[in-house]
Amino acid sequence: MTFVLEPFDAPNQTGGPGLDDALLAGLNPRQREAVEYRGPSLLIVAGAGSGKTSVLTRRIAGLLQSREAFPSQILAITFTNKAAAEMRERVGQLVGNQAEGMWISTFHSACVRILRREAENFGFTKSFTIYDSADSRALLKRIVKELNADTYGFTVSSASGKISKLKNELQDVESYARGANFSDPAEVMFLEIFRRYTQELSRANAFDFDDLIGQTVYLFRAFPRVAALYRRRFRHILVDEYQDTNHAQYALIHELTRPVASEIAEEVEGANGLTRSHRDQHGAIPGASLTVVGDSDQSIYAFRGADIRNIVEFERDFPNSRVILLEQNYRSTQNILDAANAVISNNFDRKDKKLFTDIGGGEKIVGFTGYSGHDEAQFIADEITKLHESGVDYKDIAVFYRTNAQTRALEEIFIRSALPYRVLGGTKFYERAEIKDAMAYLIAVANPADPLALRRIMNVPKRGIGPATETALQRYADAHEMSLREAVRHAGELGLGPKVTGEILEFGSILDDVMATVYPPEGQAPAKVSDILVALLTRTKFVDSLRASRDAQDEARAENVEELVAVTKEFQKNHPDGTLLDFLTEVSLVAAADDLDDSSGTVSLMTLHTAKGLEYEAVFLTGIEEDLLPHRMSAGEPGGPAEERRLFYVGITRARKRLFLSLAMTRAAYGNVNVAMPSRYLQEIPAELIDWRQSPGMANSRGGTEPRALNARREGSSWGSSLREAAALPPGKPREKTQWANMVTNVVRDNSALVLAAGDRVRHVDFGDGRVTAVTGEGAKRVAEVQFDTAGRKRLLVKIAPIEKVE
DNA sequence: ATCGTCGATTTTTTT
DNA sequence: AATCGACGAT
């Protein structure tokens, strides 16, 4: 990540842009204006699917092509790294390798880049660690425990939520204390939590997610000369998804677009040997031009501090702004847009905006009400199979849901139906314990001040360093005012047993040795990330001890760690000069949508939040039920139901041609089953737009058109008995509930030996009798296609399907 | 210090 | 259903 300051005075400062025709080809008049307009600030209100990415990339390409700006003078902020990569690529297609020097990144990545360069200005070092939410919760947990704050009603999540909220409002401990009510003991306690938390972070040389933005703003405000460097550099700032910016992000943009006063400009450019910038009549460097793109109907991050006012009040905040509205939709059919418009028009305090298209009506929206979450999932699996057979690629199909917990039923059915799928977000690779452990080793050698990472790995693999020893080390560190890491080196002075002492010293010297390769003496190249990781893993016998374990899961864990090694190699390949810090940063800031791979050939499962900004040929919106969408937790929040409606709206507008809305009559949660009611939002869609295959009403009465797969389970041969058969258990002894719940997905049922051929009759526990029409695949992946007498056609993964041959 | 078991607690979305 | 913390046995 280099930071080259190029000479400023770009040619062609005057006159219109006179853009190349190719850049404007195929744009409608509004889009064209959004590309061509030049002025201090521009707000593009871009409805869903209105081609805003196209407009944004052409606008950037225009600035470069007309030589109004050098690449290095452009800062574009996107919502995900994926979107950033896509924008870079598309600008590259328009202007070639010029695109290299631009900053296109997320708020968080851009701030990390600035902070790494400038951290030394205010008590941090460039090797600072980024605490993700799990890390900061772990820290808060210690603090809450130490202070016994739970007696005042504080939980880790309430404290973390409150701190996050304050930081998003740019409040710090001092400013909060000024307005605090000191006669309220709970408030005093919170202040103490906040103070300790802040203190621990800075002692650990660490920032949490919110700090990345907030501290950058602080840096700019406290050090005008530092700020001047960036204000001078970035002449064109573009922000995507502006409706989801919070106050801190808004302030950051504001700071970056300020003009630089004459004296400071002179001083900074003189001191750094920089070319003299273009000045206005007062000798100041004018503020950068700002372009923001957003749609208040798609604001879905208020819970995270996103402030819709940022977009609503843009014209007031940035006087002389131009506002351009993009309403023509190039993505969806009119039926889908009609549904979206109808739903969103129920939010009253909005500027009226109606999406339209000339694509045509298209197919009706399909509705389905299942008897349970599994029934719903089965419907989705069946429809996906049909879509696939009619020529729709799996990668063009997505399934959305409100909460991550809903993936379970979907995954179970998808596995049984042998559908290739992938879950975006959810429990990520990097959240696995063994991966966090391995990462903590890397952090420990990158940032020795971080005690959290050190504590995590001190006893991984087992070295006999338990809580008691850890406390002793911490006490020693506190008494001698040194870091925990330093205390490890002094383990000999603690009077612990010889065995533990030896282990601690060995542990410390491994870290010291490897750290010497990370920060080598002047003139030598630092070690490669993969070499660093491998050195740590081999010397600590991390992988070896996992492989030696008798717990079967540890083998899988070892493989995950090997996978991490592969990730570091891949990283090194993509970034030949990438340092350990670059790697750690990249890992900390991956977003859910980032690991989306278009060529994957799998159905994508994700939350509605992750779906923002994406589009698919066919979309399944699941769990459209009260208490789920709108979610129960949103009911209390002011504006909650409206935000949930926008979430629904976002989901609908992701679909290009086909939209499926589904719900279930009963929904399992925390081990018990609850009755679910259709979402209020369903009624907001005009009835003629939806073709109900099984409507909520039909499902309630006895006239369902689909076979009652789950009723069959209850009435006929019960699931439990056939599973007992499969597992060859004595019939008299029913299995425990918890045991057979997992058998569906686990491999306890193993039909590998079952020989099936087209024409065979089979009996399925849920679907009844049917005839095999085809068998494809090999071994564990053998799939049977069965035409059931009453349940229709299904694809089944033979190995785990609850079926048997009948004569 | 470590391992296993029991019981309580979970309750949204994410950089 | 699954995770986490507390507690007791080795």
Side-chain angles (χ1 to χ4, degrees):
Chain A
M1 312 263 163
T2 48
F3 183 83
V4 187
L5 288 169
E6 294 187 24
F8 174 73
D9 266 326
N12 197 6
Q13 288 289 323
T14 52
L19 300 180
D20 201 31
D21 283 348
L23 269 187
L24 301 172
L27 296 181
N28 69 35
R30 295 274 188 72
Q31 291 177 320
R32 187 183 171 122
E33 189 187 359
V35 171
E36 290 188 301
Y37 178 77
R38 295 293 181 266
S41 49
L42 167 66
L43 165 63
I44 305 172
V45 176
S50 59
K52 63 162 191 186
T53 306
S54 196
V55 165
L56 220 40
T57 51
R58 290 181 201 219
R59 186 169 167 81
I60 294 172
L63 289 167
L64 296 176
Q65 206 175 62
S66 63
R67 313 199 119 263
E68 288 163 90
F70 290 111
S72 64
Q73 292 173 333
I74 289 175
L75 169 65
I77 305 282
T78 57
F79 203 69
T80 63
N81 296 302
K82 166 109 191 328
E86 187 187 338
M87 184 167 292
R88 182 179 300 280
E89 156 133 26
R90 284 174 66 171
V91 174
Q93 281 167 8
L94 295 168
V95 300
N97 59 6
Q98 270 202 68
E100 299 293 307
M102 295 182 300
W103 276 37
I104 304 187
S105 66
T106 62
F107 270 106
H108 290 84
S109 314
C111 287
V112 170
R113 224 163 145 180
I114 294 169
L115 287 172
R116 288 242 188 259
R117 293 179 51 81
E118 314 292 347
E120 263 118 50
N121 284 307
F122 63 125
F124 291 83
T125 77
K126 61 157 46 101
S127 59
F128 62 80
T129 318
I130 301 164
Y131 277 13
D132 65 19
S133 357
D135 297 331
S136 65
R137 289 177 69 94
L139 175 53
L140 274 169
K141 198 172 188 172
R142 289 176 62 85
I143 294 171
V144 167
K145 206 167 180 177
E146 272 172 34
L147 295 173
N148 279 318
D150 53 339
T151 56
Y152 293 85
F154 285 105
T155 62
V156 172
S157 59
S158 71
S160 116
K162 200 163 171 188
I163 290 175
S164 176
K165 208 162 241 159
L166 288 171
K167 287 190 176 185
N168 285 332
E169 290 295 318
L170 293 177
Q171 294 248 39
D172 59 14
V173 177
E174 282 79 48
S175 70
Y176 181 75
R178 255 178 263 131
N181 169 13
F182 285 91
S183 57
D184 179 354
E187 201 155 330
V188 174
M189 177 53 83
F190 174 72
L191 195 56
E192 184 57 22
I193 297 173
F194 193 11
R195 175 171 290 132
R196 290 252 211 145
Y197 176 73
T198 308
Q199 199 176 43
E200 292 287 318
L201 275 179
S202 85
R203 273 179 46 180
N205 191 26
F207 294 111
D208 66 19
F209 277 140
D210 301 317
D211 283 339
L212 295 177
I213 316 290
Q215 297 282 9
T216 307
V217 172
Y218 167 79
L219 174 80
F220 285 165
R221 290 185 176 166
F223 303 93
R225 276 161 205 82
V226 174
L229 279 173
Y230 295 89
R231 289 176 183 150
R232 170 190 176 281
R233 175 190 164 124
F234 297 123
R235 304 315 305 155
H236 299 273
I237 298 178
L238 304 95
V239 184
D240 195 7
E241 309 282 10
Y242 190 70
Q243 76 281 355
D244 284 322
T245 51
N246 60 35
H247 178 71
Q249 290 164 334
Y250 166 85
L252 182 73
I253 294 302
H254 235 304
E255 290 301 325
L256 277 171
T257 50
R258 279 188 208 290
V260 181
S262 174
E263 320 82 74
I264 297 194
E266 291 298 339
E267 191 187 324
V268 164
E269 291 186 342
N272 294 283
L274 300 168
T275 320
R276 200 166 184 285
S277 300
H278 170 261
R279 306 296 175 88
D280 66 13
Q281 64 269 36
H282 309 295
I285 304 175
S289 90
L290 175 65
T291 304
V292 306
V293 186
D295 175 3
S296 36
D297 288 339
Q298 293 185 62
S299 161
I300 54 174
Y301 281 101
F303 73 92
R304 197 168 88 182
D307 194 339
I308 211 162
R309 283 176 309 183
N310 289 346
I311 198 162
V312 177
E313 295 172 9
F314 184 82
E315 292 169 76
R316 197 205 62 199
D317 293 333
F318 298 92
N320 304 318
S321 302
R322 174 69 136 265
V323 179
I324 298 174
L325 226 70
L326 303 180
E327 287 178 299
Q328 178 161 7
N329 177 293
Y330 295 92
R331 178 187 296 155
S332 312
T333 65
Q334 193 63 49
N335 275 342
I336 292 169
L337 293 183
D338 286 347
N341 284 329
V343 167
I344 201 65
S345 66
N346 287 284
N347 276 359
F348 38 91
D349 57 342
R350 61 185 279 275
K351 261 194 218 162
D352 197 42
K353 176 156 67 36
K354 274 225 172 358
L355 298 175
F356 64 95
T357 180
D358 53 22
I359 290 178
E363 299 208 41
K364 275 195 173 185
I365 295 164
V366 173
F368 181 82
T369 309
Y371 292 92
S372 68
H374 280 90
D375 197 22
E376 179 192 23
Q378 186 64 57
F379 165 77
I380 293 164
D382 292 346
E383 290 300 319
I384 290 177
T385 304
K386 283 187 210 156
L387 285 171
H388 185 64
E389 282 166 356
S390 73
V392 183
D393 217 322
Y394 286 130
K395 74 172 190 329
D396 295 321
I397 303 173
V399 182
F400 302 154
Y401 37 82
R402 176 67 235 267
T403 69
N404 281 305
Q406 290 167 254
T407 52
R408 192 152 297 147
L410 290 164
E411 284 195 78
E412 278 181 18
I413 300 295
F414 279 25
I415 289 170
R416 285 208 244 171
S417 309
L419 281 180
Y421 70 93
R422 67 145 85 210
V423 180
L424 272 75
T427 21
K428 283 168 255 162
F429 179 69
Y430 292 105
E431 284 169 12
R432 292 170 182 276
E434 64 275 17
I435 299 302
K436 291 218 82 168
D437 291 340
M439 292 297 297
Y441 269 103
L442 290 177
I443 292 168
V445 294
N447 177 15
D450 188 344
L452 206 67
L454 203 58
R455 269 195 219 102
R456 181 171 185 111
I457 55 174
M458 207 176 269
N459 203 26
V460 179
K462 299 263 179 292
R463 306 188 165 85
I465 309 176
T469 313
E470 187 195 303
T471 313
L473 281 165
Q474 186 63 57
R475 290 248 301 272
Y476 185 90
D478 291 344
H480 295 78
E481 292 193 334
M482 57 173 68
S483 67
L484 186 60
R485 172 68 174 278
E486 189 62 27
V488 166
R489 298 193 184 99
H490 291 80
E493 295 150 38
L494 268 81
L496 295 164
K499 187 139 182 254
V500 209
T501 307
E503 288 281 5
I504 299 171
L505 290 174
E506 167 66 7
F507 170 65
S509 74
I510 292 172
L511 294 184
D512 285 340
D513 292 352
V514 176
M515 194 169 146
T517 70
V518 177
Y519 300 109
E522 198 69 33
Q524 284 177 47
K528 289 194 297 183
V529 181
S530 52
D531 293 342
I532 296 166
L533 181 58
V534 169
L536 286 166
L537 295 179
T538 31
R539 287 200 54 186
T540 57
K541 302 193 171 56
F542 189 106
V543 182
D544 293 345
S545 68
L546 280 177
R547 292 225 191 273
S549 156
R550 56 186 182 79
D551 185 344
Q553 291 206 325
D554 282 342
E555 185 56 37
R557 297 198 176 101
E559 271 164 34
N560 285 331
V561 177
E562 301 283 11
E563 176 65 25
L564 182 66
V565 175
V567 171
T568 59
K569 289 193 172 139
E570 182 67 22
F571 170 83
Q572 207 66 256
K573 207 173 87 194
N574 297 336
H575 314 265
D577 299 323
T579 64
L580 177 57
L581 285 174
D582 295 332
F583 177 72
L584 293 175
T585 304
E586 189 171 290
V587 169
S588 304
L589 300 181
V590 288
D594 287 345
D595 46 334
L596 196 81
D597 177 4
D598 294 340
S599 60
S600 64
T602 60
V603 176
S604 299
L605 273 60
M606 70 192 85
T607 65
L608 284 164
H609 283 88
T610 302
K612 192 179 69 159
L614 305 175
E615 60 176 73
Y616 292 88
E617 204 73 8
V619 163
F620 291 82
L621 256 159
T622 73
I624 318 293
E625 298 148 26
E626 284 295 303
D627 288 351
L628 212 46
L629 190 76
H631 196 275
R632 178 188 280 124
M633 289 294 113
S634 72
E637 311 277 316
E643 174 144 326
E644 298 283 309
R645 186 179 278 112
R646 290 194 291 269
L647 205 45
F648 188 42
Y649 173 79
V650 166
I652 293 172
T653 53
R654 301 304 93 195
R656 283 200 285 261
K657 293 208 177 87
R658 302 298 309 275
L659 178 64
F660 298 79
L661 303 176
S662 62
L663 61 154
M665 293 176 60
T666 62
R667 177 80 51 188
Y670 305 108
N672 39 33
V673 178
N674 302 309
V675 174
M677 299 296 291
S679 168
R680 65 192 79 169
Y681 304 141
L682 278 176
Q683 300 166 5
E684 297 172 358
I685 300 177
E688 66 272 17
L689 295 177
I690 306 183
D691 165 21
W692 281 102
R693 300 284 176 78
Q694 181 161 284
S695 76
M698 288 153 73
N700 279 320
S701 70
R702 286 212 152 263
T705 52
E706 280 280 299
R708 303 220 170 155
L710 296 179
N711 283 1
R713 173 183 306 161
R714 265 173 241 113
E715 292 156 11
S717 68
S718 94
W719 214 14
S721 67
S722 75
L723 279 169
R724 215 161 26 242
E725 269 167 49
L729 282 182
K733 237 178 163 188
R735 272 180 167 269
E736 290 303 313
K737 208 176 146 202
T738 49
Q739 279 176 293
W740 63 266
N742 283 334
M743 292 176 62
V744 181
T745 43
N746 283 355
V747 205
V748 180
R749 163 181 291 279
D750 194 341
N751 275 346
S752 303
L754 184 67
V755 181
L756 285 179
D760 286 348
R761 294 285 297 174
V762 292
R763 177 165 299 152
H764 187 283
V765 173
D766 291 339
F767 305 133
D769 290 0
R771 186 172 297 283
V772 177
T773 52
V775 180
T776 53
E778 279 300 316
K781 292 193 173 162
R782 204 151 41 102
V783 174
E785 198 177 283
V786 182
Q787 179 67 50
F788 286 99
D789 301 342
T790 54
R793 196 155 45 88
K794 309 276 180 197
R795 294 177 77 229
L796 305 168
L797 196 58
V798 176
K799 188 177 163 72
I800 57 166
I803 51 173
E804 57 192 5
K805 243 200 235 189
V806 292
E807 297 318 313

